[in-house]
Amino acid sequence: MQGTITVDQIRDWVAARDRACIVEGFERAHPGTVAEAVADLEPDEILTALSFVRIPVRAEIFGHLDDRLQVEIARRMPRDDLAPLIAELPPDERVDLLKRMPDEEREAILPAIAQAEREDIRRLAAYPEGTAGAAMTSEYARISPDLTASEAIHTLRREAPNKETIYYAYVVDRARRLLGFVSLKDLILALPETRVELLMHRDVISVRVDETQEEAAQKIQKYDFIALPVVDANDVLVGIITYDDALDILNEEFTEDIEKLMAITGGHEGGVYLRSSVWEHFRHRSGWVLALALLGLVSGFIVHRFEGLLLQFSILATFMPMLVDTGGNTGSQSATLVVRALALREVVPRDAARILFKELQISLLLGALLAGIAFGRVYLFGDSGLPPGVPLAMVGVAVATALAIQVVFSTLIGACLPLFAAKLRIDPAVVASPALTTIVDITGLMIFFTTAKLILGL
Amino acid sequence: MQGTITVDQIRDWVAARDRACIVEGFERAHPGTVAEAVADLEPDEILTALSFVRIPVRAEIFGHLDDRLQVEIARRMPRDDLAPLIAELPPDERVDLLKRMPDEEREAILPAIAQAEREDIRRLAAYPEGTAGAAMTSEYARISPDLTASEAIHTLRREAPNKETIYYAYVVDRARRLLGFVSLKDLILALPETRVELLMHRDVISVRVDETQEEAAQKIQKYDFIALPVVDANDVLVGIITYDDALDILNEEFTEDIEKLMAITGGHEGGVYLRSSVWEHFRHRSGWVLALALLGLVSGFIVHRFEGLLLQFSILATFMPMLVDTGGNTGSQSATLVVRALALREVVPRDAARILFKELQISLLLGALLAGIAFGRVYLFGDSGLPPGVPLAMVGVAVATALAIQVVFSTLIGACLPLFAAKLRIDPAVVASPALTTIVDITGLMIFFTTAKLILGL
């Protein structure tokens, strides 16, 4: 039932230069399906296959390729083919592609693009990466409040081929200030002669051009919009962001968040794990690993400082790895929950007191549980590595207390760091879990040795 | 410009029982905005506020509340108010709410709901949680292929108030088998007398009722659909999933993935961090922390076994924390990237060889870098804790080699585990980063001590 097309079919067609099969196959299947299939071909094969189909179909398929492959194909395409393809892409995708191309190639292609589109590209390209302005498209339907419903439908029908969506039409005044919007559903349900002014929703939810694309995507999710209008500081409508962009933005942001939590740096687009070179992976991953290893050497100095204690009570060395890991785990849990709650706007930095109080209670429970287990372990099996005259129960109390303090402490650090980052308007996810782990390792060892010394009265 | 409404306003209106203000305020603002504002009120206040507005508005606002609050409010609502509210909710939300209510309350309310809706509820509730069937709605527009474009528009217009979306209409035969779909845009652009049969897209991409909701959401994202049809094994259309459900599904799945990566268990809905009790947080977080702490005791036994070596070369103890952390960090990085690439369908388990070869190369680079640093650290500052006659360079080589092996080993384990989980059709994210960290800690200590013994010739 579904219009399937396989990479092997396409490869055969390309090898045989079978124009008819390519044209039929590519036009029949969804451009997303074709893009997925051709992605496994060599760039030159893709180029050949695309050259056979009409430019609108070509642009649709091209638009579904991942960003990196788009650049690769675009750079190999003859300039006479590339200019019309770029002109056919939706404005937001067009700008993304040009931004990713090397400077000299971009400059070479721009003069071949029509004046109006060139200006649109310049305007959209001016917004910083990651803002609503950079994510929006300029192809939206705009109508005047004086139209009747049937005139509005007529306008939408006429403009449909050039608009990203005609399901929402934005109502603007002469200065292009946003007054409201009507959905195509509203227009269809209305009496034909009703004026748009009376139909339109006036309390429009919009996003400012300099807000983040993530904020825009969250508004779309929260209000179930098909499109969200983007306005400038004077409330002038400058573009829209559609629901499909919101899906892509959320996916991209999530990948970024999770990679930050795992201490991987660099910009991240979908579809690139296998296509990124070993060297690129190394660059994105080595920075934090290196920094954390250097920081990890600090734990070494702490262990070194307490060498005497360890030689005397070698049983303490046995608990070091468990103590260090447990602190890292509980800290990562609270950090993750707070990062996620901040990302979903469930909490804001000024909820800090409520969050910390909650985490304090949770960590006291966790600490008590783990302390009980650690005490049991020492008391039942820990009968070696002790100097004579020290009661085993005492050592058990020392280890248990140290572990409980470590759990409470690292849970609170884990919750504090992202709140603090958010307060400073840094992305809370940069308080990466590995960074946190290394920090609580260091504090944990200090807590461990100090508590042991105090309780054992050394 | 935006229709704002604050929690303080609403609280005052409720206290003053100011029906007029509530009605005007609630009808003017977007239901999502109202829901966000009332969420901070006491359930009884919300109940009072909602009781003033018309049922359709009430249902819209109610539908934007988070799941937990919906149940709380529904349980306090008089049965005569609850039944019409439930009838007004979209079918998928209605079923979700009823599923979450205690059995006896659900059984009490069902008889008050009309027969047709009750059957619809039974049917939808039969699909297991997490499937496309459980996420779909039964309110979609269905047309016959014999209609003309203008008749189809007329049908959509008539049915609009009861359908989740009228922007896509699904074309079915007499047995309700899915033949194709037309968008409202297609219908509007067509000549009025063109038959739907000629207009419809035949290569419909659909999802089977027993596929996961995540697969459905990914199709919506990939193909930029406003809605995706859900069919049963006989290709009979049974429902649709809309783009706004896809946004919610992706967000929910992200949260679940990230919490699994951080070893937090339990089902997760948005909006609940602050509303979950300390005890619930404890239950979701203690399981893994406890299991991993017990596993961490194994590292203790390893340290215990090599106590003699540590007493002789106390310098080795200094490097233990750094070695253990670095292994955890590099392993988490590769695990995260593979989990994410699997989730985004960039790779499948049979790409294992390519992935492992890539990770091997990356880890060799990382290992070499870190080994160099470790050697430098030992050689430059490590002049204590050595028995006489052992050259410092030798210790440096031992530490550096052990670290390099640990990095390569843990990177490969990190990449293997999720691939293996995916192969077994377990969610790769359950190979939680803390679990991985604990495993590579244990293997890392073994590697460390064994390598040191071999190189130092003990």
Side-chain angles (χ1 to χ4, degrees):
Chain A
M1 147 125 244
Q2 319 218 154
T4 53
I5 189 164
T6 68
V7 60
D8 293 327
Q9 283 177 322
I10 303 175
R11 189 175 284 127
D12 290 345
W13 294 338
V14 170
R17 313 233 138 217
D18 186 340
R19 176 187 295 264
C21 277
I22 291 181
V23 168
E24 208 222 304
F26 281 23
E27 304 219 341
R28 227 179 101 88
H30 189 285
T33 312
V34 179
E36 196 180 24
V38 298
D40 285 331
L41 296 176
E42 293 304 313
D44 284 328
E45 292 176 301
I46 306 178
L47 216 51
T48 309
L50 288 180
S51 71
F52 289 145
V53 294
R54 291 180 299 126
I55 288 180
V57 178
R58 199 185 293 174
E60 285 257 34
I61 297 169
F62 186 86
H64 276 85
L65 294 174
D66 72 56
D67 299 333
R68 187 174 293 234
L69 196 53
Q70 286 190 352
V71 173
E72 243 177 89
I73 304 288
R75 295 181 62 180
R76 284 159 196 254
M77 202 174 264
R79 200 184 304 171
D80 291 348
D81 281 354
L82 184 56
L85 177 77
I86 286 180
E88 188 76 21
L89 286 175
D92 46 345
E93 293 181 20
R94 184 155 72 195
V95 171
D96 283 347
L97 171 65
L98 286 169
K99 274 189 181 165
R100 285 195 177 83
M101 289 182 68
D103 289 347
E104 60 289 12
E105 295 181 29
R106 182 175 48 238
E107 295 310 321
I109 193 73
L110 274 175
I113 295 171
Q115 172 76 17
E117 277 146 10
R118 221 156 58 217
E119 272 167 20
D120 187 58
I121 290 169
R122 288 244 163 73
R123 200 170 58 79
L124 288 179
Y127 297 107
E129 199 64 42
T131 60
M136 73 190 182
T137 179
S138 45
E139 288 183 343
Y140 52 90
R142 209 165 54 211
I143 55 176
S144 138
D146 315 320
L147 296 184
T148 64
S150 78
E151 286 167 342
I153 292 175
H154 186 73
T155 307
L156 290 179
R157 187 186 286 144
R158 201 182 54 225
E159 297 192 348
N162 298 317
K163 302 302 174 200
E164 195 119 318
T165 181
I166 57 160
Y167 296 133
Y168 285 179
Y170 296 93
V171 187
V172 294
D173 65 14
R174 279 166 200 284
R176 287 228 271 177
R177 270 192 305 264
L178 185 59
L179 300 176
F181 79 99
V182 284
S183 69
L184 183 54
K185 181 172 166 181
D186 299 327
L187 294 173
I188 284 205
L189 292 178
L191 293 172
E193 58 280 8
T194 318
R195 290 195 347 143
V196 164
E197 200 169 16
L198 297 173
L199 286 173
M200 71 184 184
H201 306 266
R202 289 171 183 277
D203 290 315
V204 200
I205 288 157
S206 59
V207 66
R208 274 272 297 274
V209 77
D210 52 355
E211 285 186 77
T212 66
Q213 59 173 7
E214 202 174 0
E215 282 167 310
Q218 282 172 340
K219 281 190 182 170
I220 290 177
Q221 187 194 359
K222 183 162 145 199
Y223 297 109
D224 298 343
F225 288 142
I226 289 181
L228 180 73
V230 183
V231 295
D232 70 9
N234 302 317
D235 237 0
V236 169
L237 183 62
V238 290
I240 61 168
I241 296 180
T242 50
Y243 70 96
D244 49 314
D245 296 329
L247 276 162
D248 294 338
I249 291 168
L250 285 181
N251 234 335
E252 195 185 303
E253 295 283 342
F254 180 69
T255 304
E256 248 181 67
D257 270 10
I258 210 167
E259 296 195 344
K260 274 186 199 148
L261 276 175
M262 289 300 157
I264 301 164
T265 59
H268 300 278
E269 296 128 28
V272 298
Y273 174 80
L274 283 174
R275 240 192 301 278
S276 301
S277 71
V278 167
W279 182 245
E280 278 173 285
H281 275 289
F282 174 71
R283 273 193 295 119
H284 286 156
R285 285 151 74 167
S286 58
W288 271 106
V289 167
L290 188 64
L292 295 176
L294 291 176
L295 202 54
L297 290 175
V298 175
S299 346
F301 287 114
I302 297 171
V303 176
H304 187 62
R305 222 182 95 198
F306 289 96
E307 233 164 43
L309 183 69
L310 276 181
L311 289 176
Q312 218 183 333
F313 291 85
S314 64
I315 188 176
L316 292 183
T318 312
F319 285 95
M320 256 171 55
M322 188 260 227
L323 177 107
V324 157
D325 279 353
T326 304
N329 291 344
T330 50
S332 302
Q333 286 187 335
S334 59
T336 305
L337 286 171
V338 172
V339 164
R340 197 71 196 128
L342 284 166
L344 295 172
R345 310 280 142 108
E346 291 178 25
V347 300
V348 290
R350 79 186 128 70
D351 292 321
R354 282 169 76 191
I355 295 169
L356 292 181
F357 182 59
K358 179 153 268 180
E359 291 298 323
L360 177 66
Q361 294 169 282
I362 299 165
S363 63
L364 285 172
L365 285 176
L366 285 172
L369 175 71
L370 292 170
I373 286 170
F375 181 83
R377 160 74 178 78
V378 176
Y379 198 71
L380 295 177
F381 308 105
D383 47 359
S384 79
L386 279 190
V390 178
L392 194 57
M394 193 81 136
V395 178
V397 170
V399 171
T401 311
L403 186 60
I405 297 179
Q406 161 74 339
V407 166
V408 173
F409 200 73
S410 44
T411 304
L412 293 181
I413 293 185
C416 274
L417 284 185
L419 287 170
F420 194 63
K423 184 87 193 161
L424 297 179
R425 302 189 159 272
I426 303 169
D427 183 343
V430 296
V431 196
S433 155
L436 179 75
T437 305
T438 307
I439 293 169
V440 300
D441 277 4
I442 294 172
T443 55
L445 288 170
M446 297 283 291
I447 291 170
F448 185 50
F449 290 124
T450 313
T451 313
K453 273 192 117 156
L454 285 175
I455 292 185
L456 298 173
L458 297 170
Chain B
M1 148 125 244
Q2 320 217 157
T4 53
I5 188 163
T6 69
V7 60
D8 294 328
Q9 282 176 323
I10 303 175
R11 188 175 284 128
D12 291 347
W13 294 337
V14 170
R17 314 235 136 214
D18 187 339
R19 177 188 292 263
C21 275
I22 290 180
V23 169
E24 207 222 306
F26 282 21
E27 305 218 342
R28 225 179 102 89
H30 189 285
T33 312
V34 180
E36 194 180 24
V38 297
D40 285 331
L41 295 177
E42 293 304 313
D44 285 328
E45 291 175 303
I46 304 178
L47 217 50
T48 310
L50 287 180
S51 71
F52 289 146
V53 293
R54 292 179 299 127
I55 288 181
V57 178
R58 199 185 295 174
E60 285 258 36
I61 296 169
F62 186 85
H64 277 86
L65 295 174
D66 72 56
D67 300 333
R68 186 174 293 235
L69 196 52
Q70 286 189 353
V71 173
E72 243 177 89
I73 303 289
R75 295 182 61 179
R76 285 158 196 257
M77 202 173 265
R79 200 182 305 171
D80 292 348
D81 280 354
L82 184 55
L85 177 76
I86 285 180
E88 188 76 23
L89 286 176
D92 47 343
E93 292 181 22
R94 183 155 71 194
V95 171
D96 282 347
L97 171 64
L98 286 170
K99 274 190 180 166
R100 285 196 176 82
M101 288 183 70
D103 288 348
E104 60 285 15
E105 294 182 30
R106 181 176 50 237
E107 295 311 320
I109 192 73
L110 273 174
I113 295 171
Q115 171 75 16
E117 276 146 10
R118 221 156 56 216
E119 272 166 22
D120 188 58
I121 289 169
R122 289 244 162 74
R123 201 169 59 79
L124 286 180
Y127 297 107
E129 199 65 42
T131 60
M136 73 189 183
T137 178
S138 45
E139 288 183 344
Y140 52 90
R142 208 166 55 211
I143 56 176
S144 137
D146 316 321
L147 297 184
T148 63
S150 78
E151 286 167 343
I153 292 175
H154 186 74
T155 307
L156 290 179
R157 186 186 287 144
R158 202 182 54 224
E159 297 192 348
N162 298 318
K163 302 302 173 200
E164 195 119 317
T165 179
I166 57 161
Y167 295 133
Y168 285 179
Y170 296 94
V171 187
V172 294
D173 65 14
R174 279 166 199 285
R176 285 228 271 178
R177 271 193 304 266
L178 185 59
L179 301 176
F181 80 97
V182 284
S183 69
L184 184 54
K185 180 172 164 181
D186 299 328
L187 294 173
I188 285 205
L189 292 179
L191 294 172
E193 58 281 9
T194 318
R195 287 187 1 134
V196 163
E197 200 168 16
L198 297 172
L199 285 174
M200 71 184 184
H201 306 266
R202 288 169 184 277
D203 291 315
V204 200
I205 287 157
S206 60
V207 67
R208 274 273 297 273
V209 77
D210 52 356
E211 285 186 76
T212 66
Q213 59 173 6
E214 202 175 1
E215 282 167 309
Q218 282 173 340
K219 281 189 182 172
I220 291 177
Q221 188 193 0
K222 183 162 144 198
Y223 297 109
D224 298 344
F225 288 142
I226 288 181
L228 179 73
V230 183
V231 296
D232 70 8
N234 303 315
D235 237 1
V236 169
L237 183 63
V238 290
I240 62 168
I241 297 180
T242 49
Y243 71 96
D244 49 314
D245 296 328
L247 276 163
D248 294 339
I249 291 168
L250 285 181
N251 233 334
E252 198 183 301
E253 298 281 342
F254 289 165
T255 304
E256 248 181 66
D257 271 9
I258 210 166
E259 296 194 345
K260 275 187 198 148
L261 276 175
M262 288 301 157
I264 301 164
T265 60
H268 299 280
E269 295 128 27
V272 298
Y273 174 81
L274 282 174
R275 239 190 303 278
S276 302
S277 72
V278 167
W279 182 244
E280 279 172 285
H281 275 289
F282 174 71
R283 274 193 296 118
H284 286 157
R285 285 151 73 167
S286 57
W288 271 106
V289 167
L290 188 63
L292 295 176
L294 291 176
L295 202 55
L297 291 176
V298 175
S299 348
F301 287 114
I302 297 171
V303 176
H304 186 60
R305 222 183 95 198
F306 289 94
E307 232 164 42
L309 183 69
L310 277 180
L311 289 177
Q312 219 183 332
F313 291 88
S314 65
I315 187 175
L316 293 182
T318 312
F319 284 95
M320 257 171 54
M322 185 259 229
L323 178 107
V324 158
D325 279 353
T326 305
N329 290 344
T330 51
S332 303
Q333 286 187 335
S334 59
T336 306
L337 286 172
V338 172
V339 165
R340 197 69 197 129
L342 284 166
L344 295 173
R345 309 280 143 110
E346 290 177 27
V347 299
V348 290
R350 76 186 131 70
D351 292 322
R354 282 168 76 189
I355 296 169
L356 292 181
F357 181 61
K358 178 154 268 177
E359 290 299 323
L360 177 67
Q361 293 169 283
I362 299 164
S363 64
L364 285 172
L365 284 175
L366 285 171
L369 175 71
L370 292 170
I373 287 169
F375 181 84
R377 160 75 178 78
V378 175
Y379 198 73
L380 295 177
F381 308 106
D383 47 359
S384 77
L386 278 190
V390 178
L392 193 57
M394 192 82 135
V395 178
V397 169
V399 171
T401 310
L403 186 59
I405 297 178
Q406 162 74 339
V407 166
V408 173
F409 200 74
S410 46
T411 303
L412 293 180
I413 293 185
C416 275
L417 285 184
L419 287 169
F420 194 63
K423 183 87 194 162
L424 297 179
R425 300 186 160 274
I426 303 170
D427 184 342
V430 296
V431 196
S433 154
L436 180 76
T437 305
T438 308
I439 293 169
V440 301
D441 278 4
I442 294 172
T443 55
L445 288 171
M446 296 284 290
I447 291 170
F448 185 50
F449 290 124
T450 313
T451 314
K453 272 193 118 160
L454 284 175
I455 292 186
L456 298 174
L458 298 170

